[in-house]
Amino acid sequence: MKKWCLLLLLILSLGSSAIAKTEHSEEKWRGFDEAVIERIAEEKGKKPYGLFSLEGDLELFAFALLSGIAGLLVGYYWRKLISENRDASCFTERTLSSSKGS
Amino acid sequence: MLGLFLGGLYLFVPRELYAMHISEGILSLNWALLWWAIAILTLGLALRRLNFYLKEDPQRKAVFAFVTAFVFLVSVIPIPVPFAGTCSHPVGVAAGVFLLGLSGSIVAGFIVLLLQALLLAHGGLSSLGANTVAMAVVGSLSAYLVILIFSRAFIPLYMKAFLSGVIADWATYGVTALQLALALSEGEPWGSLWVKILLAFTPTQVPLGLLEGVITAGVVTAIAKRRSNLLITEVLKFQEGVTK
């Protein structure tokens, strides 16, 4: 199951990346908020704005940095919770009773 | 390993980096205050419950950290949807519900939205209440309801997780559409505007919701196979023998 999920994610990422590269234009692959929500708001006379603006590659840097940190945290806690405490006995009485307290 | 993989996955997405939250300037003050009031009320209840939950089992703090980081990561990855030609992102709270229950998922969702507004200018502070209600509260609540509805049904865990992910995603964007319709329907019936916005959301969010279901099913099943006792009682209660 894990292998299938990882394979699916890889195919999706590579596939969407390839599509984005071949069909990319100024109007394509805009964010959903800009393409739909902000357009609807502007039609109704509202002018959306951000708290601050991240210009140029600063936005890419901020997203990459924070995503990287979040990814490392996910990996760290995954290892701490799952890999170092692996429990092969799924859905036994013991696991049921230990989770009842939560 | 999973984190490094997901972090690496980020490198493949195109450079238009936008999240799907209501930004500043869209909601009028009245609507922003109303959604903030609902969000604060719900957060108060959720925090109280989570505090009790974490005091009872301090080891769950690591689960809370994992869920918060996971929701943050999933909800900043803009996924291109070929049918629509736009990018949008999953919400990730359904997986949080399986691990922390309703209260933990709501609080984690709020923290993620706050960080995204303050650090990435995605969403906003005036619209944070509305975004919290849509993603953290309604997204988590709908996933939790799916778990409860199917708790006695002997369907595989991955199917429950898939349905929770799909419904959480669609419910989040359904409520976002409602918030926009209510705020922007000046002189126009809000119902017709809601339908119009929902139709505009459909090409992007229908496939993305299905993808969210797959992600949720993958994460929940992977955890169930390794440490089933991390899942909440409502999931485990009727699950014995199903995923063996």
Side-chain angles (χ1 to χ4, degrees):
Chain A
M1 183 66 189
K2 186 184 174 186
K3 283 179 187 169
W4 282 109
C5 287
L6 290 176
L7 187 65
L8 182 69
L9 281 171
L10 188 64
I11 290 168
L12 281 170
S13 63
L14 291 174
S16 54
S17 177
I19 291 165
K21 278 176 185 165
T22 52
E23 297 183 16
H24 183 78
S25 69
E26 283 303 313
E27 292 302 311
K28 274 220 156 205
W29 311 116
R30 286 190 304 165
F32 187 65
D33 55 351
E34 193 188 53
V36 180
I37 295 177
E38 291 182 4
R39 186 173 53 80
I40 292 168
E42 280 168 6
E43 279 173 13
K44 296 287 176 182
K46 301 278 184 182
K47 181 68 187 161
Y49 60 92
L51 279 176
F52 53 91
S53 68
L54 294 165
E55 291 174 353
D57 278 0
L58 202 57
E59 186 171 38
L60 181 65
F61 169 75
F63 268 82
L65 181 70
L66 292 170
S67 302
I69 293 170
L72 286 170
L73 284 172
V74 169
Y76 171 77
Y77 282 109
W78 179 271
R79 182 178 171 141
K80 190 175 175 182
L81 290 166
I82 310 291
S83 303
E84 292 174 1
N85 294 290
R86 192 176 172 124
D87 174 19
S89 57
C90 288
F91 309 121
T92 61
E93 277 303 314
R94 185 179 61 76
T95 58
L96 284 172
S97 58
S98 66
S99 65
K100 272 177 186 165
S102 60
Chain B
M1 177 66 189
L2 181 70
L4 288 176
F5 176 78
L6 289 173
L9 184 70
Y10 174 82
L11 297 174
F12 291 105
V13 300
R15 290 172 60 146
E16 278 69 18
L17 301 170
Y18 296 102
M20 207 307 289
H21 303 312
I22 298 175
S23 45
E24 296 282 353
I26 293 180
L27 300 179
S28 64
L29 183 65
N30 291 346
W31 283 111
L33 287 175
L34 176 72
W35 295 117
W36 257 112
I38 296 170
I40 287 171
L41 185 69
T42 321
L43 272 169
L45 294 170
L47 268 171
R48 199 173 151 188
R49 175 76 189 136
L50 181 67
N51 197 27
F52 171 75
Y53 188 56
L54 294 180
K55 273 185 184 165
E56 205 176 51
D57 184 3
Q59 288 186 332
R60 288 265 161 189
K61 285 176 185 169
V63 182
F64 181 71
F66 170 76
V67 167
T68 308
F70 176 79
V71 174
F72 185 94
L73 185 63
V74 165
S75 61
V76 289
I77 297 177
I79 296 173
V81 181
F83 306 105
T86 55
C87 295
S88 191
H89 66 82
V91 293
V93 290
V97 174
F98 275 84
L99 290 166
L100 283 172
L102 192 54
S103 57
S105 181
I106 288 173
V107 177
F110 172 75
I111 292 170
V112 166
L113 288 166
L114 181 65
L115 288 175
Q116 287 178 355
L118 293 177
L119 301 177
L120 297 168
H122 280 259
L125 290 180
S126 69
S127 56
L128 183 60
N131 289 327
T132 301
V133 171
M135 189 177 114
V137 178
V138 174
S140 303
L141 186 62
S142 52
Y144 188 69
L145 287 176
V146 171
I147 293 171
L148 287 187
I149 289 167
F150 290 103
S151 63
R152 286 177 185 274
F154 282 93
I155 58 171
L157 180 63
Y158 69 82
M159 188 53 74
K160 289 179 188 176
F162 174 79
L163 289 172
S164 296
V166 172
I167 300 299
D169 187 281
W170 290 349
T172 297
Y173 289 98
V175 171
T176 302
L178 178 65
Q179 289 169 334
L180 287 169
L182 289 170
L184 300 173
S185 63
E186 289 161 0
E188 187 182 345
W190 66 265
S192 62
L193 185 59
W194 186 27
V195 172
K196 186 181 158 189
I197 296 171
L198 279 176
L199 288 174
F201 277 24
T202 303
T204 306
Q205 291 312 135
V206 168
L208 199 74
L210 297 173
L211 178 67
E212 169 126 28
V214 172
I215 293 171
T216 309
V219 170
V220 170
T221 311
I223 291 170
K225 280 184 176 170
R226 289 159 180 81
R227 279 199 68 192
S228 56
N229 60 338
L230 289 181
L231 301 178
I232 57 170
T233 318
E234 289 88 332
V235 179
L236 293 174
K237 207 180 285 177
F238 303 100
Q239 202 62 41
E240 195 165 0
V242 174
T243 59
K244 273 181 180 174

